[in-house]
Amino acid sequence: MTRTAGPPSQTHDLVLRGGRVLDPETGHDALADVGVTGGTITAVSARPLVGRRTLDVRGLVVAPGFIDMHSHSHDVAGHRLQAMDGVTTALELEAGLSPVDEGYRQAAAEGRPLNYGFSASWCQARMAAVGGLPHGGGMHAALGLLGNPAWQREATGTQVDEMLELLRLDLAAGALGIGVVVGYAPRVKPEEYLAVSRLAAESGRPTYTHARDLVEQFPDVPIDGAHEIARAAAETGVHAHYCHITSTSRLHSDKVMRLMDDTRAEGGRISTEAYPYGAGMTAIGAAFLAPELLAATGLTPDGIVHAATGERMANAERLREVRAEDPAGLAIAHFLNEADPFEQSLIDRALLHPSTVVGSDAMPLTWTNGRPDPLAWPLPPTAVTHPRTSGTFAKVLRRYVRELGALTLLEAVSRSSFGPARILQDSVPAMRRKGRVQPGCDADLIVFDADTVTDRATYEHSTRPSLGFAHVLVGGVPVVQDGTLCLDALPGRPVRA
Ligand SMILES: [Zn+2]
């Protein structure tokens, strides 16, 4: 098969020679040369291509770079860890940013290894309009205020209007939809969630939701968190993306997946995402980590580990103290036990469901000495995070393709690249050129060894980069070369609606 954009004799800037080329959209899975010129794939050909530069990738897989729909890792250090895990586009959609332009401007000014993009943040808009708190300040400001009750309180009609106006401005600025972490303010009125969904639907962009609690967890919740998402899709026509479905559904994941299937069958536009770990990570001051609420969701204080100190919460009293001292401090929360076969099977089933894409929920680094050094590489031991930041995508290849044989390589690659591109492309046309290895598409490409690619990050050693990705190209520019990070490479471009 030959699929070339220009004449066969064309000389490409770069030729990836003789790899096993996977294109999830067409199902192509065969040996081929891939030509790249500038930032674009210029040929995929079974016959040898001519390049000014040639990389011999025989024995390796050539695939579209992974598109992470759920990355809170906005800085260079976080992007580097994700690049080593095969990611070429890291999008902040669940939390989002408001004002969204702040995020785009900062990333453009500083430069980023990976492509980046942001949704509008319901939470930051609410912090300003309802909480009377400062508007903006990025992810760190948002994490700092996440546990502050001021923004979680009931809103007046005028306040909701003000908040919607801020979100409207963000959508006009190119936000990729609206991130709604309603699970962090679980007492807000269901009407407000519907109004936000309606605004997103009107703009033709999705919502990305961290669901509120389920009725099984809290019988008095204003509306069941899963039902709320299904209802919004049905009543407003919004495309509702259900973030990290196991981390909020926990023991009820099977039931929630079925409800989403039913909603889709009735015409609702629902997409789902999961990561392959049984623990979450968030600000220890988050509403749902209050000691008196843990039991209902199956958590215990000793399942919560403060990242900055490594301290496991001995009891409810200690948890209360740490929440008061360092509400923005990140903590690992073990909500499903990976050592328990049944609980692990819930994660597996959600991840293997045909409609699920892989999203890492990559977190910002915590610096245990209090002195961030985001340009240091390799990362010093004072940088810690959740292993999902470093290892999600390689873990999917290791566990589900190689160890369990539950996914073909093409399926696993599809869930990590083409799947997210397809979810986004109706509202973000730029995504039609991503997640594919076809002439005319963006040269966001990864080259890896399918037999050895593996995650190495653990809860104890959370910033160990994955191994096995030989080359990672972002817009044709190497950010990883021969398995080594390119320290100066900042080819990341903004993705906007
Ligand atoms: Zn979340």
Side-chain angles (χ1 to χ4, degrees):
M1 186 196 69
T2 305
R3 291 183 293 159
T4 52
S9 57
Q10 178 186 354
T11 301
H12 307 273
D13 284 354
L14 170 70
V15 168
L16 304 174
R17 169 87 73 224
R20 175 183 167 191
V21 177
L22 302 182
D23 177 46
E25 186 177 36
T26 60
H28 180 277
D29 179 355
L31 299 182
D33 280 11
V34 176
V36 171
T37 299
T40 306
I41 298 171
T42 34
V44 181
S45 170
R47 283 181 305 188
L49 297 171
V50 181
R52 281 178 203 93
R53 221 157 56 78
T54 299
L55 272 179
D56 183 352
V57 297
R58 283 174 298 179
L60 302 175
V61 171
V62 179
F66 297 149
I67 297 166
D68 192 355
M69 292 180 62
H70 196 145
S71 175
H72 308 300
S73 264
H74 300 187
D75 65 3
V76 170
H79 274 207
R80 285 172 169 172
L81 272 179
Q82 293 213 272
M84 294 296 286
D85 200 33
V87 175
T88 53
T89 299
L91 304 176
E92 164 65 84
L93 301 178
E94 180 220 29
L97 291 175
S98 186
V100 76
D101 211 42
E102 213 176 51
Y104 282 109
R105 261 186 286 130
Q106 189 183 4
E110 297 174 6
R112 292 288 181 263
L114 308 182
N115 301 315
Y116 52 87
F118 311 95
S119 67
S121 169
W122 166 79
C123 148
Q124 282 190 298
R126 205 174 202 283
M127 283 170 176
V130 181
L133 301 165
H135 188 210
M139 174 54 51
H140 285 284
L143 278 170
L145 297 173
L146 202 56
N148 188 324
W151 77 271
Q152 302 167 25
R153 63 180 169 225
E154 207 169 290
T156 64
T158 317
Q159 287 171 331
V160 171
D161 289 345
E162 276 173 37
M163 180 195 68
L164 292 173
E165 188 49 35
L166 293 176
L167 294 175
R168 211 170 272 124
L169 291 173
D170 287 332
L171 290 168
L176 304 174
I178 305 177
V180 197
V181 292
V182 66
Y184 286 87
R187 297 286 146 179
V188 304
K189 285 188 182 149
E191 292 75 23
E192 179 175 327
Y193 184 82
L194 280 179
V196 171
S197 299
R198 215 168 280 122
L199 174 63
E202 283 162 12
S203 76
R205 281 169 247 177
T207 51
Y208 311 92
T209 303
H210 176 124
R212 65 174 112 201
D213 301 307
L214 303 174
V215 282
E216 288 89 344
Q217 298 160 339
F218 291 95
D220 64 338
V221 71
I223 180 171
D224 175 80
H227 180 73
E228 174 166 52
I229 293 175
R231 180 176 84 156
E235 285 187 15
T236 71
V238 74
H239 172 167
H241 182 75
Y242 205 128
C243 294
H244 51 43
I245 199 154
T246 51
S247 83
T248 44
S249 309
R250 307 184 189 180
L251 295 174
H252 310 286
S253 295
D254 288 336
K255 192 204 83 167
V256 171
M257 294 301 285
R258 273 197 302 278
L259 175 61
M260 295 308 123
D261 282 342
D262 294 345
T263 308
R264 266 188 294 266
E266 287 160 14
R269 295 159 74 202
I270 302 261
S271 49
T272 55
E273 152 217 305
Y275 56 78
Y277 296 87
M281 188 184 222
T282 192
I284 201 163
F288 56 79
L289 293 183
E292 61 277 15
L293 302 181
L294 294 185
T297 54
L299 270 172
T300 50
D302 69 350
I304 298 173
V305 182
H306 187 228
T309 57
E311 180 188 349
R312 197 173 274 279
M313 299 300 107
N315 49 44
E317 195 38 51
R318 183 60 189 144
L319 174 59
R320 209 166 276 125
E321 281 169 19
V322 177
R323 280 164 59 84
E325 287 161 12
D326 184 20
L330 291 173
I332 299 261
H334 292 271
F335 55 80
L336 287 172
N337 180 1
E338 294 167 28
D340 177 297
F342 173 71
E343 296 195 9
Q344 177 61 51
S345 80
L346 289 166
I347 302 170
D348 293 341
R349 274 196 298 284
L351 217 128
L352 294 171
H353 188 282
S355 71
T356 303
V357 301
V358 181
S360 75
D361 204 350
M363 295 300 289
L365 296 174
T366 292
W367 296 83
T368 56
N369 61 358
R371 291 196 302 279
D373 187 6
L375 296 182
W377 189 268
L379 285 170
T382 47
V384 299
T385 182
H386 187 300
R388 69 192 182 197
T389 309
S390 322
T392 286
F393 292 89
K395 183 171 180 180
V396 167
L397 296 173
R398 168 178 67 79
R399 176 173 173 80
Y400 297 100
V401 179
R402 213 162 51 233
E403 293 176 0
L404 299 181
L407 293 174
T408 66
L409 190 57
L410 188 61
E411 284 167 343
V413 163
S414 183
R415 282 161 191 265
S416 306
S417 57
F418 176 61
R422 193 171 43 181
I423 288 173
L424 290 163
Q425 66 190 17
D426 286 345
S427 49
V428 188
M431 298 310 285
R432 292 187 190 279
R433 296 192 311 273
K434 295 194 184 294
R436 291 135 165 119
V437 185
Q438 299 169 18
C441 290
D442 296 343
D444 298 338
L445 293 165
I446 55 175
V447 178
F448 63 94
D449 185 334
D451 296 329
T452 60
V453 65
T454 191
D455 55 309
R456 293 192 309 145
T458 62
Y459 293 106
E460 293 74 34
H461 303 283
S462 54
T463 54
R464 280 185 187 154
S466 293
L467 271 186
F469 292 96
H471 305 284
V472 176
L473 305 182
V474 174
V477 177
V479 294
V480 174
Q481 205 162 15
D482 296 314
T484 302
L485 193 86
C486 307
L487 288 172
D488 298 330
L490 298 170
R493 310 256 310 142
V495 177
R496 286 182 195 254

